[in-house]
Amino acid sequence: MEALGGGGFLHWNFSQQRAKPFKSQRRKSKSSDSAEATGGAGYSFPLKQAATAGSLALTGDTIAQLIQRWRKHKASEQRSLTRSEDSDKDVLWTILLDHDWLRALRMTSYGFLLYGPGSYAWYQYLDHRMPKQTVQNLMLKVLLNQIVLGPCVIAVCFAWNNLWQGTVSELPEKYKKDALPTLLYGFRFWIPVSVLNFWVVPLQARVAFMSVGSIFWNFYLSSTMSK
């Protein structure tokens, strides 16, 4: 009995002790992977994605403001039928001095506080629910992106702008007038961009990719609306 206990039981116990670290390590690795994908047990603010979205929102707004004021200057020159004696360099300097920094701060804070963290959480959720890279999952992600994330982004962006401008009472009228046309107009641009985003771009870079897309979207709107 002593031999059996010392040989059989101890040998079985020792084998279990050797097997445990592997299982523990495997469990730890799995939990760390899960924590990396979901931000751990609690919520972890995605600082990198928020900073990227905020900086690109600032870039897009700065470019849009410069283009708008440059076109306004050129239009005023054409209406007066006389070219200003100021050089283009002086005109550009004047345009830069007239920059609307409050509007720039409004768009930057929207990207940092709302769009960056919100869209990153959305992309995490979609990848968690549909992890396989199949055509069916791709099309479903693109569809959900347009009918769920798209309206949410427009609604929050309009509300954020009106809140900063102190015109919250005008928000319902803003939604009635501009929300649906903006959403439908955006389908032409954002559906192809979303296909690339879900098919090619890794999860960590998707917020940045869509934020870069927003810069080109501002260019597109600016050029088409002025025709």
Side-chain angles (χ1 to χ4, degrees):
M1 288 292 292
E2 187 175 316
L4 180 62
F9 174 74
L10 287 178
H11 176 71
W12 174 81
N13 192 34
F14 179 69
S15 300
Q16 237 192 356
Q17 290 288 342
R18 291 186 60 186
K20 273 184 180 179
F22 176 75
K23 290 178 75 176
S24 175
Q25 185 178 8
R26 189 175 176 186
R27 215 166 28 239
K28 184 177 179 182
S29 174
K30 187 175 180 181
S31 64
S32 66
D33 290 343
S34 176
E36 186 178 352
T38 61
Y43 174 73
S44 178
F45 185 77
L47 183 60
K48 182 179 179 180
Q49 286 74 19
T52 301
S55 60
L56 290 174
L58 175 62
T59 302
D61 179 71
T62 301
I63 294 172
Q65 285 198 51
L66 291 176
I67 290 176
Q68 288 170 5
R69 285 198 294 276
W70 182 265
R71 285 177 174 170
K72 188 182 293 185
H73 173 75
K74 291 299 181 183
S76 64
E77 277 190 347
Q78 290 178 356
R79 283 196 301 269
S80 62
L81 300 177
T82 57
R83 177 171 174 79
S84 173
E85 295 180 359
D86 297 333
S87 65
D88 286 344
K89 185 177 180 180
D90 293 333
V91 171
L92 182 59
W93 180 248
T94 303
I95 289 174
L96 288 173
L97 289 177
D98 291 337
H99 194 75
D100 187 350
W101 292 107
L102 185 61
R103 168 179 159 177
L105 178 61
R106 183 170 72 239
M107 294 308 298
T108 304
S109 61
Y110 164 76
F112 183 83
L113 296 174
L114 300 174
Y115 180 76
S119 58
Y120 182 62
W122 170 250
Y123 297 141
Q124 278 186 313
Y125 173 75
L126 289 181
D127 269 18
H128 176 71
R129 301 300 298 180
M130 293 171 280
K132 293 184 179 179
Q133 280 285 77
T134 63
V135 175
Q136 181 180 358
N137 283 349
L138 170 68
M139 300 309 294
L140 188 55
K141 285 179 180 179
V142 172
L143 176 64
L144 290 173
N145 215 49
Q146 301 309 308
I147 65 175
V148 177
L149 183 64
C152 289
V153 167
I154 291 173
V156 172
C157 186
F158 284 1
W160 189 252
N161 282 328
N162 281 51
L163 180 65
W164 273 68
Q165 293 171 349
T167 56
V168 179
S169 59
E170 300 175 7
L171 189 58
E173 184 62 29
K174 178 73 173 175
Y175 284 147
K176 290 179 183 178
K177 181 182 177 183
D178 295 329
L180 186 59
T182 302
L183 180 65
L184 296 177
Y185 202 66
F187 284 166
R188 308 179 195 178
F189 177 81
W190 288 115
I191 288 179
V193 172
S194 295
V195 171
L196 286 175
N197 191 42
F198 288 117
W199 191 253
V200 179
V201 182
L203 175 63
Q204 298 293 332
R206 285 178 186 167
V207 174
F209 181 77
M210 296 297 275
S211 297
V212 171
S214 297
I215 297 177
F216 289 97
W217 172 241
N218 288 336
F219 274 122
Y220 176 73
L221 279 182
S222 182
S223 60
T224 54
M225 292 299 185
S226 62
K227 291 181 180 178

